[in-house]
Amino acid sequence: MYAIKWNGDSVVILDQRLLPLNETYHTYTNYMDVLYSIKDMEIRGAPAIGVAGAMGVALAAKNVASESVDEFRQEMNRIIDAFASTRKTGFFLFIALNRMKSMLDTPGGVRGIRDAMEAEAVKIYEEDIEINRTIGRNGSGLIQDGDVVMTHCNAGALATAGYGTALGVIRAAVEEGKKIEVYACETRPYLQGARITALELFRDGIPVTLITDSMSGHFMKAGVIKKIVVGADRIAANGDTANKVGTYTHSVLAREHGIPFYIAASVTIIDPDLKSGEEIPIEERTVDEVAFVGREQIAPEGISIRNPSFDVTPAKNITAIITEKGLIENPGVNGASWILKK
Amino acid sequence: MYAIKWNGDSVVILDQRLLPLNETYHTYTNYMDVLYSIKDMEIRGAPAIGVAGAMGVALAAKNVASESVDEFRQEMNRIIDAFASTRKTGFFLFIALNRMKSMLDTPGGVRGIRDAMEAEAVKIYEEDIEINRTIGRNGSGLIQDGDVVMTHCNAGALATAGYGTALGVIRAAVEEGKKIEVYACETRPYLQGARITALELFRDGIPVTLITDSMSGHFMKAGVIKKIVVGADRIAANGDTANKVGTYTHSVLAREHGIPFYIAASVTIIDPDLKSGEEIPIEERTVDEVAFVGREQIAPEGISIRNPSFDVTPAKNITAIITEKGLIENPGVNGASWILKK
């Protein structure tokens, strides 16, 4: 099972909306399909979206027929902007698209740019897996043998090019021989925890227990949860972290109960231009994600619904941010952007 | 729309599992149907369950054919015990069943007992509506014009004989001419907030916005939520309160943000025999309630799932308990059982 693969002249994407019952892969040769795949959340997770954006652009470079370098660049810039407007909170997408954009300066005409874009997309993909493995190694020491670790949403293999960030830390701890049990919050409205995290861990043979999101406080108070590890979509310079909505709620409960609360993420998503989390743009998605679960309509017609996809956890609620460059301990005091200079 | 009605020789119950799309009422003449209606959550909400238990017993008194008072009492005691085993956390059911049981001492043979049981069940029903209206009046002063009030689960007309406890407070404030908006948490797994609270308020013309449970922290931090009012299923002598799972989580967030957190409930559900919330039995329901939303399976096969239906909010997190006898202010300091002597 994987979220995305590059096939030379096509992109293969797992339709995560159909999980856990159907494992269906789509093969796209047109960049517009990749764009809608991101928009409609066939593929999701900040790193996976970044990889998909890069591969979508590489595919577009093959789709755009012009042999005039100027015309080609103009069209590619338009397409890159279109990808940038699909999801606004995650930062990895913008980083990946900027890397793709810089390939437009490659010499060798349109063909040279095309080849460079393909190579860069594959590089972004491969680097992400390597980054995640390093995050896993850097974070696994924080997890003790016998821990019950809670996570929210899916920051696993299917949210990334592979291995995962938060689940990468758990995988690395398990690979070291530690016995770990995971409590997965189902993560309404999109149910990434129930549909994706639970499935990923079950297939890996890591014991997983599913709970609804609002049960987290109950199981923290009961002493069941020993650690919390989640991913991130964007981190401000001061360490404030945007992640799937509900993360902030869990972080307050973790502090109330003295439970370590870890973010696992690449330094790539630290946005040094944002002073604090207040400045992180929060995507608000269609209300139908809340009103329907699959075909089931759960809300009456006519009412108002809110659906912010992310929330911001203040740095003070975070015990440490686990990155490929090491730990950012106590970001509430130290901030996060210093690690970029490391 | 109503949860339950007594029809002389039958009980009419709204099938709340089919809301919000279908408003279907079942007419039951056999007490076993009422018993399964409680067990399977066609009817839910601590006060409504209590009324249903009483009416189910009154119906059983008509179903039991014996004319020997001793045999009749024996059979009725067995049936009352069966009702007591349907749902274990809510306290109103046990109070209502004890009241029904005491009718077994009525003179006048089996017929005398039957008539007394019917009268008592109707009295429990009518008293509940009156209690809720008084709770509403006692609590409405806590809600200011323009407030956005968050609630969890459904403590409304459909959780009671009518009017509601938490929603009764909101209704009373609206009846006083205050402009109130309600944020309803959807309340996974059973979705009482989405399916029932949102519907009740919408039909009453009270503006309601639906959010998922884990968004509560986000909207508290954003300054949107001004007050929180929820119901209760059982209250220990010290003020610790069992209510729908997720209530505890919201209470911690409310304290973090300095938002008043109110419980609205009848003094009937204060259980003076329980020193603290630790002693309240917590019902754990079938995992299918988490794994499925209607026909939609959202969790993979083979994983572990937890489904505690309730959690306990410590008295220290509660600003006041609003009862028909007045406010229990600051129960974390004063406890709750003193009001029973008032």
mmCIF file of all heavy atoms in Angstrom, chain A residues 48-77:
data_model
loop_
_atom_site.group_PDB
_atom_site.id
_atom_site.type_symbol
_atom_site.label_atom_id
_atom_site.label_comp_id
_atom_site.label_asym_id
_atom_site.label_seq_id
_atom_site.Cartn_x
_atom_site.Cartn_y
_atom_site.Cartn_z
ATOM 1 N N ALA A 48 2.669 14.139 1.342
ATOM 2 C CA ALA A 48 2.152 13.454 0.155
ATOM 3 C C ALA A 48 1.588 14.453 -0.840
ATOM 4 O O ALA A 48 1.754 14.302 -2.059
ATOM 5 C CB ALA A 48 1.075 12.436 0.561
ATOM 6 N N ILE A 49 0.931 15.500 -0.345
ATOM 7 C CA ILE A 49 0.398 16.549 -1.222
ATOM 8 C C ILE A 49 1.546 17.260 -1.938
ATOM 9 O O ILE A 49 1.457 17.576 -3.127
ATOM 10 C CB ILE A 49 -0.437 17.563 -0.400
ATOM 11 C CG1 ILE A 49 -1.761 16.932 0.037
ATOM 12 C CG2 ILE A 49 -0.688 18.842 -1.197
ATOM 13 C CD1 ILE A 49 -2.535 17.768 1.052
ATOM 14 N N GLY A 50 2.632 17.499 -1.211
ATOM 15 C CA GLY A 50 3.797 18.129 -1.826
ATOM 16 C C GLY A 50 4.364 17.273 -2.945
ATOM 17 O O GLY A 50 4.656 17.766 -4.042
ATOM 18 N N VAL A 51 4.510 15.981 -2.680
ATOM 19 C CA VAL A 51 5.018 15.051 -3.696
ATOM 20 C C VAL A 51 4.059 15.013 -4.890
ATOM 21 O O VAL A 51 4.482 15.045 -6.053
ATOM 22 C CB VAL A 51 5.211 13.638 -3.092
ATOM 23 C CG1 VAL A 51 5.516 12.624 -4.188
ATOM 24 C CG2 VAL A 51 6.330 13.659 -2.039
ATOM 25 N N ALA A 52 2.756 14.967 -4.606
ATOM 26 C CA ALA A 52 1.764 14.924 -5.681
ATOM 27 C C ALA A 52 1.823 16.191 -6.519
ATOM 28 O O ALA A 52 1.716 16.133 -7.757
ATOM 29 C CB ALA A 52 0.361 14.732 -5.096
ATOM 30 N N GLY A 53 2.003 17.342 -5.846
ATOM 31 C CA GLY A 53 2.128 18.594 -6.583
ATOM 32 C C GLY A 53 3.332 18.557 -7.511
ATOM 33 O O GLY A 53 3.235 18.917 -8.694
ATOM 34 N N ALA A 54 4.461 18.091 -6.994
ATOM 35 C CA ALA A 54 5.684 18.016 -7.799
ATOM 36 C C ALA A 54 5.500 17.057 -8.977
ATOM 37 O O ALA A 54 5.855 17.377 -10.119
ATOM 38 C CB ALA A 54 6.855 17.564 -6.913
ATOM 39 N N MET A 55 4.929 15.899 -8.710
ATOM 40 C CA MET A 55 4.720 14.929 -9.798
ATOM 41 C C MET A 55 3.682 15.438 -10.790
ATOM 42 O O MET A 55 3.801 15.199 -11.998
ATOM 43 C CB MET A 55 4.304 13.575 -9.216
ATOM 44 C CG MET A 55 5.449 12.862 -8.488
ATOM 45 S SD MET A 55 4.955 11.203 -7.929
ATOM 46 C CE MET A 55 6.521 10.625 -7.193
ATOM 47 N N GLY A 56 2.669 16.137 -10.285
ATOM 48 C CA GLY A 56 1.663 16.724 -11.176
ATOM 49 C C GLY A 56 2.299 17.730 -12.119
ATOM 50 O O GLY A 56 1.992 17.765 -13.321
ATOM 51 N N VAL A 57 3.219 18.530 -11.583
ATOM 52 C CA VAL A 57 3.909 19.527 -12.412
ATOM 53 C C VAL A 57 4.820 18.825 -13.429
ATOM 54 O O VAL A 57 4.878 19.218 -14.602
ATOM 55 C CB VAL A 57 4.702 20.508 -11.517
ATOM 56 C CG1 VAL A 57 5.617 21.385 -12.357
ATOM 57 C CG2 VAL A 57 3.735 21.364 -10.694
ATOM 58 N N ALA A 58 5.510 17.782 -12.988
ATOM 59 C CA ALA A 58 6.371 17.024 -13.913
ATOM 60 C C ALA A 58 5.548 16.417 -15.047
ATOM 61 O O ALA A 58 5.979 16.372 -16.205
ATOM 62 C CB ALA A 58 7.116 15.927 -13.146
ATOM 63 N N LEU A 59 4.339 15.951 -14.694
ATOM 64 C CA LEU A 59 3.422 15.398 -15.694
ATOM 65 C C LEU A 59 2.964 16.505 -16.645
ATOM 66 O O LEU A 59 2.905 16.302 -17.870
ATOM 67 C CB LEU A 59 2.217 14.791 -14.966
ATOM 68 C CG LEU A 59 1.400 13.723 -15.681
ATOM 69 C CD1 LEU A 59 2.269 12.539 -16.083
ATOM 70 C CD2 LEU A 59 0.265 13.253 -14.763
ATOM 71 N N ALA A 60 2.652 17.666 -16.077
ATOM 72 C CA ALA A 60 2.222 18.800 -16.890
ATOM 73 C C ALA A 60 3.305 19.174 -17.900
ATOM 74 O O ALA A 60 3.015 19.503 -19.050
ATOM 75 C CB ALA A 60 1.879 19.991 -15.998
ATOM 76 N N ALA A 61 4.561 19.100 -17.447
ATOM 77 C CA ALA A 61 5.668 19.429 -18.351
ATOM 78 C C ALA A 61 5.658 18.510 -19.572
ATOM 79 O O ALA A 61 6.050 18.906 -20.668
ATOM 80 C CB ALA A 61 6.999 19.326 -17.600
ATOM 81 N N LYS A 62 5.199 17.274 -19.374
ATOM 82 C CA LYS A 62 5.062 16.357 -20.517
ATOM 83 C C LYS A 62 3.810 16.679 -21.324
ATOM 84 O O LYS A 62 3.758 16.455 -22.534
ATOM 85 C CB LYS A 62 5.002 14.906 -20.031
ATOM 86 C CG LYS A 62 6.340 14.416 -19.461
ATOM 87 C CD LYS A 62 6.235 13.002 -18.897
ATOM 88 C CE LYS A 62 7.497 12.655 -18.134
ATOM 89 N NZ LYS A 62 8.605 12.163 -18.997
ATOM 90 N N ASN A 63 2.764 17.174 -20.648
ATOM 91 C CA ASN A 63 1.497 17.493 -21.316
ATOM 92 C C ASN A 63 1.587 18.752 -22.179
ATOM 93 O O ASN A 63 0.921 18.855 -23.209
ATOM 94 C CB ASN A 63 0.368 17.707 -20.294
ATOM 95 C CG ASN A 63 -0.037 16.458 -19.521
ATOM 96 O OD1 ASN A 63 -0.575 16.566 -18.427
ATOM 97 N ND2 ASN A 63 0.240 15.270 -20.047
ATOM 98 N N VAL A 64 2.397 19.734 -21.718
ATOM 99 C CA VAL A 64 2.448 21.022 -22.429
ATOM 100 C C VAL A 64 3.283 20.850 -23.698
ATOM 101 O O VAL A 64 4.466 20.507 -23.636
ATOM 102 C CB VAL A 64 3.041 22.131 -21.527
ATOM 103 C CG1 VAL A 64 3.240 23.420 -22.325
ATOM 104 C CG2 VAL A 64 2.111 22.383 -20.336
ATOM 105 N N ALA A 65 2.641 21.091 -24.836
ATOM 106 C CA ALA A 65 3.233 20.702 -26.119
ATOM 107 C C ALA A 65 4.230 21.726 -26.670
ATOM 108 O O ALA A 65 5.099 21.363 -27.460
ATOM 109 C CB ALA A 65 2.122 20.448 -27.128
ATOM 110 N N SER A 66 4.113 22.965 -26.235
ATOM 111 C CA SER A 66 4.916 24.035 -26.824
ATOM 112 C C SER A 66 6.420 23.713 -26.843
ATOM 113 O O SER A 66 6.968 23.185 -25.884
ATOM 114 C CB SER A 66 4.681 25.328 -26.045
ATOM 115 O OG SER A 66 5.626 26.289 -26.443
ATOM 116 N N GLU A 67 7.087 24.087 -27.966
ATOM 117 C CA GLU A 67 8.536 23.915 -28.013
ATOM 118 C C GLU A 67 9.249 25.247 -27.811
ATOM 119 O O GLU A 67 10.485 25.311 -27.792
ATOM 120 C CB GLU A 67 8.966 23.257 -29.330
ATOM 121 C CG GLU A 67 8.652 21.743 -29.400
ATOM 122 C CD GLU A 67 9.197 20.930 -28.200
ATOM 123 O OE1 GLU A 67 10.332 21.165 -27.744
ATOM 124 O OE2 GLU A 67 8.445 20.065 -27.697
ATOM 125 N N SER A 68 8.468 26.335 -27.656
ATOM 126 C CA SER A 68 9.065 27.632 -27.315
ATOM 127 C C SER A 68 9.281 27.682 -25.816
ATOM 128 O O SER A 68 8.344 27.503 -25.026
ATOM 129 C CB SER A 68 8.132 28.775 -27.752
ATOM 130 O OG SER A 68 8.144 29.807 -26.786
ATOM 131 N N VAL A 69 10.546 27.913 -25.410
ATOM 132 C CA VAL A 69 10.870 27.903 -23.981
ATOM 133 C C VAL A 69 10.073 28.968 -23.231
ATOM 134 O O VAL A 69 9.559 28.724 -22.137
ATOM 135 C CB VAL A 69 12.394 28.088 -23.763
ATOM 136 C CG1 VAL A 69 12.706 28.342 -22.288
ATOM 137 C CG2 VAL A 69 13.143 26.852 -24.255
ATOM 138 N N ASP A 70 9.924 30.154 -23.835
ATOM 139 C CA ASP A 70 9.174 31.222 -23.164
ATOM 140 C C ASP A 70 7.719 30.837 -22.947
ATOM 141 O O ASP A 70 7.166 30.993 -21.857
ATOM 142 C CB ASP A 70 9.252 32.524 -23.974
ATOM 143 C CG ASP A 70 10.542 33.276 -23.674
ATOM 144 O OD1 ASP A 70 11.279 32.810 -22.763
ATOM 145 O OD2 ASP A 70 10.801 34.297 -24.334
ATOM 146 N N GLU A 71 7.095 30.352 -24.032
ATOM 147 C CA GLU A 71 5.699 29.916 -23.940
ATOM 148 C C GLU A 71 5.555 28.795 -22.915
ATOM 149 O O GLU A 71 4.621 28.767 -22.119
ATOM 150 C CB GLU A 71 5.244 29.366 -25.299
ATOM 151 C CG GLU A 71 4.337 30.293 -26.077
ATOM 152 C CD GLU A 71 3.887 29.632 -27.381
ATOM 153 O OE1 GLU A 71 3.406 28.464 -27.332
ATOM 154 O OE2 GLU A 71 4.052 30.272 -28.424
ATOM 155 N N PHE A 72 6.482 27.863 -22.951
ATOM 156 C CA PHE A 72 6.460 26.715 -22.041
ATOM 157 C C PHE A 72 6.547 27.183 -20.586
ATOM 158 O O PHE A 72 5.769 26.751 -19.733
ATOM 159 C CB PHE A 72 7.627 25.778 -22.393
ATOM 160 C CG PHE A 72 7.694 24.541 -21.537
ATOM 161 C CD1 PHE A 72 6.912 23.419 -21.833
ATOM 162 C CD2 PHE A 72 8.537 24.482 -20.430
ATOM 163 C CE1 PHE A 72 6.979 22.280 -21.039
ATOM 164 C CE2 PHE A 72 8.608 23.349 -19.630
ATOM 165 C CZ PHE A 72 7.829 22.236 -19.944
ATOM 166 N N ARG A 73 7.497 28.099 -20.345
ATOM 167 C CA ARG A 73 7.661 28.618 -18.976
ATOM 168 C C ARG A 73 6.396 29.306 -18.488
ATOM 169 O O ARG A 73 5.975 29.130 -17.346
ATOM 170 C CB ARG A 73 8.819 29.628 -18.931
ATOM 171 C CG ARG A 73 10.171 28.970 -18.841
ATOM 172 C CD ARG A 73 11.248 30.024 -18.546
ATOM 173 N NE ARG A 73 12.571 29.429 -18.656
ATOM 174 C CZ ARG A 73 13.590 29.955 -19.341
ATOM 175 N NH1 ARG A 73 13.436 31.102 -19.987
ATOM 176 N NH2 ARG A 73 14.754 29.336 -19.373
ATOM 177 N N GLN A 74 5.804 30.109 -19.386
ATOM 178 C CA GLN A 74 4.598 30.844 -19.035
ATOM 179 C C GLN A 74 3.478 29.871 -18.646
ATOM 180 O O GLN A 74 2.815 30.033 -17.613
ATOM 181 C CB GLN A 74 4.166 31.671 -20.251
ATOM 182 C CG GLN A 74 3.439 32.938 -19.886
ATOM 183 C CD GLN A 74 3.206 33.806 -21.141
ATOM 184 O OE1 GLN A 74 3.651 33.468 -22.256
ATOM 185 N NE2 GLN A 74 2.509 34.902 -20.959
ATOM 186 N N GLU A 75 3.285 28.857 -19.471
ATOM 187 C CA GLU A 75 2.234 27.872 -19.224
ATOM 188 C C GLU A 75 2.518 27.093 -17.940
ATOM 189 O O GLU A 75 1.621 26.849 -17.129
ATOM 190 C CB GLU A 75 2.128 26.931 -20.443
ATOM 191 C CG GLU A 75 1.051 25.872 -20.353
ATOM 192 C CD GLU A 75 -0.371 26.429 -20.218
ATOM 193 O OE1 GLU A 75 -0.555 27.660 -20.307
ATOM 194 O OE2 GLU A 75 -1.283 25.616 -19.974
ATOM 195 N N MET A 76 3.794 26.735 -17.749
ATOM 196 C CA MET A 76 4.146 25.968 -16.538
ATOM 197 C C MET A 76 3.947 26.811 -15.282
ATOM 198 O O MET A 76 3.500 26.297 -14.252
ATOM 199 C CB MET A 76 5.599 25.464 -16.614
ATOM 200 C CG MET A 76 5.815 24.320 -17.611
ATOM 201 S SD MET A 76 4.709 22.896 -17.391
ATOM 202 C CE MET A 76 5.151 22.367 -15.735
ATOM 203 N N ASN A 77 4.259 28.086 -15.349
ATOM 204 C CA ASN A 77 4.033 28.957 -14.193
ATOM 205 C C ASN A 77 2.546 29.013 -13.827
ATOM 206 O O ASN A 77 2.183 29.006 -12.651
ATOM 207 C CB ASN A 77 4.561 30.372 -14.470
ATOM 208 C CG ASN A 77 6.037 30.490 -14.096
ATOM 209 O OD1 ASN A 77 6.457 29.971 -13.062
ATOM 210 N ND2 ASN A 77 6.817 31.148 -14.940
#
